[in-house]
């Protein structure tokens, strides 16, 4: 099964073409790629516009050191034509530029059309923020806008990890991958402390969400198949590439996040 994916570079906003019969109805073909550019926004609520080329959309960043706040603009107007994708109008992915400190947030939109969510950076550094949403015509957009946070960097740098088994919140998670051409499948086998298979629950309208990000900011969002015992994600990856896959599941009402590295 082939599920939603999008590949997003730091210089591009990609309204993507999403395929796959198991996707929610909110996912649909979109407009062509639109070039985008913009610099990291400044702290203290300074407004920073990140333009979206021919897509005629941009983010106006109003974030502070304790809140991510932004609006999507279409020309001189605040964009308000949001649809629902995986139970939310807006998905906000945040990760530091060394692929640490990942968060998947869901801001709320105020009466002025500004999306707001509390956020305090766990460490200093530049954080990539991806606003991921659909419009009412079911076109999907992802806009990256960055912000540098002051503070101790802590451990910094991309340390590639070849582990295929990790333990998170008492669950053993094993990743199996298979490659056919540029298509890659990621199968997650999850067991509990008694080595018994664990059934994942629906989370945001899917059995799992996986966000793959490269060291240059390329972005792919995939969803697990609804079939089979184990959650399986399938997407297309460029040859000779490296991505860190941040994957989230809901088990017994709690969301767990695990990350694995992929090197082709």
């Amino acid at each position: 099964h082939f599920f939603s994916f999008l590949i997003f570079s730091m210089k591009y906003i990609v309204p993507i073409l999403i395929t796959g019969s198991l996707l929610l109805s909110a996912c649909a073909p979109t407009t062509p790629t639109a070039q985008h550019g913009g610099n990291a926004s400044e702290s203290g609520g300074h407004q920073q516009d990140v333009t979206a080329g021919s897509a005629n959309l941009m983010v106006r960043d109003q974030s502070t050191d304790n809140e991510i706040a932004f609006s999507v603009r279409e020309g001189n107007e605040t964009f308000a034509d949001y649809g629902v994708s995986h139970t939310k109008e807006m998905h906000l992915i945040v990760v530091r530029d060394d692929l640490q400190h990942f968060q998947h947030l869901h801001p709320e939109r105020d009466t002025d059309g500004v999306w707001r969510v509390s956020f305090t950076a766990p460490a200093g550094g530049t954080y990539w923020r991806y606003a991921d949403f659909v419009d009412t015509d079911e076109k999907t957009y992802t806009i990256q806008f960055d912000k540098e946070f002051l503070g101790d960097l802590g451990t910094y740098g991309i340390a590639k990890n070849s582990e295929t088994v990790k333990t998170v919140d008492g669950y053993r998670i094993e990743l199996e991958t298979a490659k056919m051409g540029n298509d890659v499948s990621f199968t997650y086998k999850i067991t509990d402390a008694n080595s018994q298979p664990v059934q994942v629950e629906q989370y945001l309208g899917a059995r799992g969400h996986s966000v793959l990000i490269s060291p240059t900011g390329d972005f792919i969002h995939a969803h697990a198949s609804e079939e089979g015992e184990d959650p399986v994600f399938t997407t297309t990856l460029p040859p000779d590439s490296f991505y860190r896959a941040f994957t989230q599941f809901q088990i017994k009402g709690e969301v767990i996040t695990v990350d694995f590295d992929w090197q082709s």
Side-chain angles (χ1 to χ4, degrees):
H1 301 279
F2 183 81
F3 297 89
S4 67
F5 73 91
L6 71 89
I7 300 179
F8 170 83
S9 73
M10 292 181 70
K11 295 183 178 178
Y12 289 83
I13 290 175
V14 184
I16 57 172
L17 174 66
I18 302 180
T19 60
S21 59
L22 297 176
L23 289 177
L24 296 184
S25 59
C27 297
T30 65
T31 55
T33 300
Q35 188 171 9
H36 128 267
N39 298 321
S41 61
E42 299 175 6
S43 62
H46 173 76
Q47 292 187 353
Q48 172 72 38
D49 291 345
V50 182
T51 60
S54 62
N56 199 33
L57 294 180
M58 63 181 173
V59 159
R60 176 162 292 174
D61 187 17
Q62 302 168 240
S63 302
T64 67
D65 290 337
N66 303 112
E67 179 186 57
I68 296 177
F70 64 96
S71 60
V72 178
R73 306 281 295 178
E74 185 171 21
N76 295 323
E77 303 294 329
T78 300
F79 181 82
D81 190 30
Y82 294 101
V84 175
S85 174
H86 289 275
T87 76
K88 300 291 183 180
E89 284 190 329
M90 180 65 69
H91 297 266
L92 180 65
I93 304 301
V94 182
V95 67
R96 198 169 69 174
D97 63 1
D98 64 343
L99 305 183
Q100 296 192 65
H101 308 302
F102 171 89
Q103 294 189 46
H104 182 171
L105 306 174
H106 300 105
E108 297 292 332
R109 183 161 48 118
D110 67 19
T111 55
D112 293 323
V114 178
W115 295 96
R116 298 182 182 277
V117 63
S118 296
F119 176 81
T120 300
T126 298
Y127 284 74
W128 297 335
R129 298 167 296 169
Y130 300 87
D132 195 4
F133 60 95
V134 302
D135 63 21
T136 52
D137 289 330
E138 300 181 347
K139 295 175 184 176
T140 303
Y141 300 92
T142 299
I143 304 176
Q144 180 185 345
F145 58 114
D146 307 339
K147 179 176 172 61
E148 183 175 355
F149 290 87
L150 300 178
D152 185 3
L153 289 176
T155 302
Y156 184 83
I158 297 175
K160 296 182 180 180
N161 191 325
S162 61
E163 289 180 316
T164 58
V165 177
K166 293 188 176 182
T167 300
V168 179
D169 294 343
Y171 297 104
R172 181 183 187 273
I173 304 174
E174 180 179 0
L175 175 65
E176 295 181 355
T177 60
K179 192 172 185 292
M180 296 182 61
N182 289 335
D183 290 343
V184 182
S185 65
F186 297 79
T187 301
Y188 290 80
K189 297 182 178 294
I190 308 172
T191 53
D192 62 18
N194 297 316
S195 300
Q196 296 301 306
V198 171
Q199 288 289 100
V200 299
E201 302 165 349
Q202 287 286 308
Y203 171 56
L204 299 174
R207 293 175 70 200
H209 293 255
S210 190
V211 173
L212 294 86
I213 304 177
S214 79
T216 58
D218 294 339
F219 177 100
I220 299 169
H221 193 165
H223 302 102
S225 167
E226 294 300 317
E227 299 178 356
E229 180 179 354
D230 299 314
V232 180
F233 302 79
T234 303
T235 190
T236 301
L237 297 177
D240 302 321
S241 61
F242 171 81
Y243 285 83
R244 181 158 292 165
F246 301 92
T247 305
Q248 294 183 299
F249 303 102
Q250 181 170 297
I251 301 172
K252 297 182 178 179
E254 299 293 330
V255 176
I256 66 171
T257 303
V258 62
D259 64 84
F260 289 101
D261 288 349
W262 160 261
Q263 179 76 61
S264 63

